[in-house]
Amino acid sequence: MLHPWIIAVAVATAAAPETLVVPIQGIVVTGTRAPEPALRVPAAISVIPRERFENTRGISLEDALGSTPGVFVQSRGGAQDVRVTIRGFGARGNGERSNAGNMRGIRVLTDGIPLTEPDGRTSLDLVDLGSVDRIEVSRSNVSALYGNASGGVLNLRTNLDFAAPWLELRSRAGAYGYHREQERVGFAAGEARGTFSFSNSSFDGWRAHSASSATQAQMRLSAPLGSGTRLGVLLDAASDLNRFPGALTQAQLDANPKQANPNFVTRDDRRVNKVGRVAMTLDRSVEASQDLALTLFVEPKVLQRSERGRFRDFNRYHVGGSAVYQLRSRLSGDVTSRTSLGGDEAYQDGSIMFYDLTPSGGRGTGLAADKREGANSAGGFIEQELTWKERWSVRAAARYDNLWYIANDHMDPTLDGSKHFTRLTPKGSVSYRAGDHTIYAALGGGVESPAFNEIDPPPSVPATSLNPFLEPMHSTTYELGAKGELAGSGALGRLRYDLAGYYIDVANDIVPWNGGSYFFTAGSSHRSGAEAALDWQPTDRVLIAGTANLMSTRYDKYVNDLGDFTGKQIAGLPRAIVTALARVTTPWGVGVQAGLQSVGGVFVDDANSVKSPDYVVANASLDVARRIGPTTLRVFVAGDNLADRSYVGSVFINGINGEYFEPGLPRNWSAGLNARW
């Protein structure tokens, strides 16, 4: 906890200003493959500034995304691992496999460089909320631009637009042994700008066998190479340890939610990842009509896991790059044209060694598997937009993707195999803009290939490394939306709104079975829903915000050798999520914030025989921001789940032996101090 003198010094000094809401016309997003104003994009987009997650532990994406419309975040034990779902994409997880914390169907970028692997999985080792200045969330189906991204895009951005060098020290501490220390530096040399960050965090966990720790370093540099040309350099490194408590049965959950699954404890199920990345970007503008953006990255990984009775060693390298060209022209006095085209290439390969597990969960001497797994993803897209009188806009896009897997078994070459997927994905939209308001309609396709560890064959399939029956999931999304801002005077103040409705047809829905040991493909399913977000700022110091998500899901055709699940709801997805937030900042720099989140229960199996209960959690925080000469101090104290409500934070879909439930965090407190010069 913070020393009393720190709080006293912070309160005694002059207040630091705070901006709660940035006018929507001033927001430019980059997650649409080219920078453009968020208001112009004919799709559902949320922009989350740092102020929204400043007063949190900052341990995972749940701290930042929990109140984003259309987004459902499930925390696995209250630590780094989360499952992020957008409009139902990404919900399936992976059962007992320790990389169930990986995301699927949602493309994740940090400063424009992908964390998502060629097969669509995303490991979150290089995500550091303490270094993120804002998050752009594309909630619409964007496969026509990115390929394997039916659920959308998360783009975590670092601000390099500052006038002078700065230094920031950040400290966090909280319940269950949580602490985090971070140093950040912003440096300048002429027109070049850069940041460097180093952080260390540790969390004992509230459940047995759920401790985690992480050390992360990050550097960003942007430097001019001449008129209209800018070079970017990104360096990342992370080393983390996560232990997994596993899922509980209903009886275990009722008896003692703090306990861990005995099998996970006996095997000491855990993950130790060491990941690095070097990336470069080159942005070139030719006059005001042409832009070229190039990226190149290399990401080596050393991964170790104790999981499902085996000690597993992975050594991988992930390399890739992209190129996007944009041409703008005026066809007539009222009509303008924008053409974008580009391509992506990513390749990941490496060795896999499985060993016997010792009684203490260590690596044994017996070699159980010696494999090589490689995946390559290549794709190209083109998008054409025509705009009339800066009001009406029509867009059409198409993308072709080519993905292949290769598996070599060095112990039994008869198991060697390869699998190849191709797909053409179109999208079209029309929008109308009037001042600070836009309405739009869109129709687009989506594609999501099975991840490499999801194409293991079921036991009934003849010996092979790859499931011959599993195919990519593809979808069609129909979307209507409106967004904008009302700026008035008096009590009205500023009101920002974001409304969207959608209907999604899905074929080949990928479904886990037997705790994620293997996967089925459902013939067809659908999802329909509505999303709403309102931010009302009656004065510069008062913010009232809320979101509502309603979604209906159904398997239209799903039959396998385990039963007929046609007509059942899709497991892992709540029908309703509602959030509310109120914040008041005084002229003396004291801020008070309170929030609520209500989440509907979810079915945990395809048969819809078991359902987790609904829950409501409340949180609040108090913060003080003050300036002392050149120094700005910010102190906060926050409480989550203040009513100490027992709830299920995450589920193992189709878990084995009734082990479905991962309990959510009980009441917990955290505090933090930022000092910036």
Side-chain angles (χ1 to χ4, degrees):
M1 297 296 292
L2 300 177
H3 293 289
W5 68 264
I6 295 179
I7 299 177
V9 170
V11 173
T13 50
E18 180 175 358
T19 300
L20 294 178
V21 178
V22 177
I24 192 169
Q25 61 270 23
I27 298 176
V28 175
V29 296
T30 58
T32 55
R33 300 306 307 245
E36 60 180 322
L39 187 62
R40 290 190 64 237
V41 180
I45 291 180
S46 299
V47 179
I48 307 165
R50 175 191 283 236
E51 289 82 4
R52 288 294 179 95
F53 52 88
E54 184 76 25
N55 296 344
T56 68
R57 296 181 305 157
I59 195 172
S60 75
L61 285 174
E62 183 187 29
D63 294 318
L65 302 178
S67 59
T68 306
V71 179
F72 179 42
V73 185
Q74 296 174 288
S75 174
R76 309 191 68 237
Q80 179 189 36
D81 275 357
V82 294
R83 179 181 298 129
V84 179
T85 301
I86 300 179
R87 294 183 177 178
F89 295 103
R92 63 185 183 268
N94 213 9
E96 281 199 3
R97 302 185 183 197
S98 67
N99 53 6
N102 288 3
M103 293 168 52
R104 288 157 174 79
I106 299 168
R107 193 167 182 84
V108 182
L109 313 171
T110 56
D111 293 299
I113 304 298
L115 293 180
T116 302
E117 298 173 356
D119 63 353
R121 285 181 297 176
T122 303
S123 177
L124 301 175
D125 301 285
L126 296 182
V127 169
D128 176 15
L129 273 189
S131 299
V132 173
D133 291 297
R134 75 177 190 184
I135 303 175
E136 301 169 5
V137 185
S138 298
R139 308 184 330 256
S140 299
N141 195 326
V142 291
S143 287
L145 298 179
Y146 283 100
N148 208 353
S150 299
V153 173
L154 302 180
N155 193 12
L156 288 71
R157 306 290 298 179
T158 304
N159 179 28
L160 296 177
D161 185 18
F162 49 85
W166 50 267
L167 169 66
E168 183 178 50
L169 302 179
R170 301 164 61 86
S171 180
R172 300 285 186 271
Y176 307 108
Y178 175 67
H179 70 86
R180 173 186 172 89
E181 295 79 39
Q182 182 173 19
E183 300 82 35
R184 298 182 71 209
V185 177
F187 53 90
E191 295 184 19
R193 295 292 184 271
T195 63
F196 176 78
S197 169
F198 180 83
S199 66
N200 185 72
S201 64
S202 181
F203 180 49
D204 293 339
W206 81 280
R207 293 180 63 194
H209 200 263
S210 64
S212 64
S213 61
T215 300
Q216 297 172 301
Q218 180 189 97
M219 193 272 284
R220 300 289 185 264
L221 174 66
S222 177
L225 296 183
S227 177
T229 304
R230 202 160 191 93
L231 174 69
V233 178
L234 299 87
L235 302 176
D236 296 273
S239 176
D240 57 55
L241 164 65
N242 288 269
R243 282 189 161 83
F244 303 101
L248 304 177
T249 65
Q250 185 66 61
Q252 291 170 326
L253 181 69
D254 295 339
N256 179 15
K258 291 185 178 181
Q259 68 178 302
N261 185 302
N263 291 329
F264 281 61
V265 177
T266 300
R267 301 184 308 234
D268 191 15
D269 278 17
R270 65 196 184 279
R271 182 184 70 229
V272 179
N273 285 358
K274 294 179 172 61
V275 182
R277 182 174 63 174
V278 179
M280 299 183 69
T281 65
L282 183 68
D283 295 284
R284 169 72 173 165
S285 296
V286 181
E287 298 177 342
S289 61
Q290 300 179 66
D291 297 307
L292 177 65
L294 305 175
T295 69
L296 184 66
F297 66 89
V298 178
E299 186 177 331
K301 309 174 186 180
V302 177
L303 318 174
Q304 290 185 329
R305 298 173 189 151
S306 169
E307 174 188 314
R308 290 176 291 152
R310 290 283 186 265
F311 188 93
R312 302 162 188 253
D313 264 330
F314 300 80
N315 287 278
R316 289 175 170 168
Y317 57 89
H318 179 199
V319 299
S322 67
V324 178
Y325 171 75
Q326 184 173 221
L327 173 65
R328 295 174 296 275
S329 60
R330 183 171 295 277
L331 302 182
S332 69
D334 294 329
V335 180
T336 59
S337 168
R338 180 176 65 90
T339 304
S340 300
L341 56 93
D344 305 276
E345 163 65 25
Y347 177 71
Q348 181 165 276
D349 206 336
S351 63
I352 303 174
M353 309 287 281
F354 291 177
Y355 297 89
D356 295 336
L357 202 62
T358 67
S360 62
R363 178 165 58 190
T365 57
L367 183 63
D370 182 358
K371 302 179 181 180
R372 170 234 176 169
E373 288 181 349
N376 189 85
S377 175
F381 76 92
I382 184 169
E383 182 182 50
Q384 177 64 53
E385 178 186 27
L386 296 176
T387 304
W388 182 59
K389 290 188 175 180
E390 297 298 325
R391 290 181 177 270
W392 286 100
S393 174
V394 178
R395 297 189 185 190
R399 180 183 175 97
Y400 179 79
D401 282 289
N402 188 330
L403 173 67
W404 60 262
Y405 302 115
I406 184 169
N408 296 132
D409 192 309
H410 300 308
M411 299 179 70
D412 185 358
T414 64
L415 298 178
D416 291 356
S418 62
K419 202 166 181 63
H420 191 232
F421 304 124
T422 60
R423 186 74 181 176
L424 179 66
T425 309
K427 185 171 185 178
S429 66
V430 59
S431 63
Y432 177 77
R433 178 180 176 183
D436 292 334
H437 309 274
T438 296
I439 58 174
Y440 62 89
L443 171 63
V447 62
E448 183 178 338
S449 63
F452 213 120
N453 62 349
E454 295 173 344
I455 56 178
D456 292 342
S460 59
V461 174
T464 179
S465 293
L466 306 175
N467 188 339
F469 305 118
L470 211 56
E471 296 296 330
M473 179 174 69
H474 52 90
S475 59
T476 303
T477 299
Y478 308 82
E479 181 177 1
L480 293 172
K483 54 187 173 181
E485 185 176 287
L486 297 169
S489 58
L492 180 60
R494 176 181 291 138
L495 177 67
R496 180 182 298 172
Y497 65 92
D498 182 349
L499 309 173
Y502 59 88
Y503 183 91
I504 306 173
D505 276 321
V506 180
N508 297 333
D509 215 337
I510 302 169
V511 182
W513 199 266
N514 193 30
S517 296
Y518 57 95
F519 287 75
F520 284 122
T521 296
S524 61
S525 62
H526 73 265
R527 307 161 195 166
S528 58
E531 304 161 357
L534 296 174
D535 285 10
W536 178 38
Q537 194 170 4
T539 72
D540 290 340
R541 299 189 178 277
V542 177
L543 172 66
I544 299 174
T547 66
N549 307 305
L550 303 175
M551 181 166 60
S552 174
T553 67
R554 194 76 60 185
Y555 286 120
D556 298 320
K557 182 181 179 182
Y558 180 20
V559 180
N560 59 41
D561 57 353
L562 300 173
D564 185 349
F565 306 111
T566 301
K568 301 296 185 180
Q569 293 185 36
I570 300 176
L573 300 175
R575 294 179 64 89
I577 304 174
V578 178
T579 70
L581 178 146
R583 177 174 174 81
V584 177
T585 306
T586 71
W588 306 280
V590 179
V592 180
Q593 181 171 306
L596 288 171
Q597 183 186 46
S598 173
V599 179
V602 302
F603 286 109
V604 300
D605 61 344
D606 291 340
N608 290 179
S609 62
V610 181
K611 188 178 184 180
S612 68
D614 304 353
Y615 65 86
V616 178
V617 293
N619 56 74
S621 66
L622 173 70
D623 60 270
V624 182
R626 296 281 176 169
R627 281 186 179 150
I628 310 174
T631 305
T632 299
L633 290 179
R634 181 185 180 90
V635 179
F636 80 86
V637 178
D640 296 313
N641 193 8
L642 293 176
D644 202 20
R645 176 74 181 269
S646 297
Y647 68 99
V648 174
S650 180
V651 298
F652 278 23
I653 299 173
N654 293 324
I656 57 176
N657 302 321
E659 297 169 347
Y660 300 118
F661 307 106
E662 293 184 290
L665 271 172
R667 179 169 51 227
N668 63 97
W669 301 90
S670 60
L673 167 67
N674 295 355
R676 185 179 177 106
W677 293 268

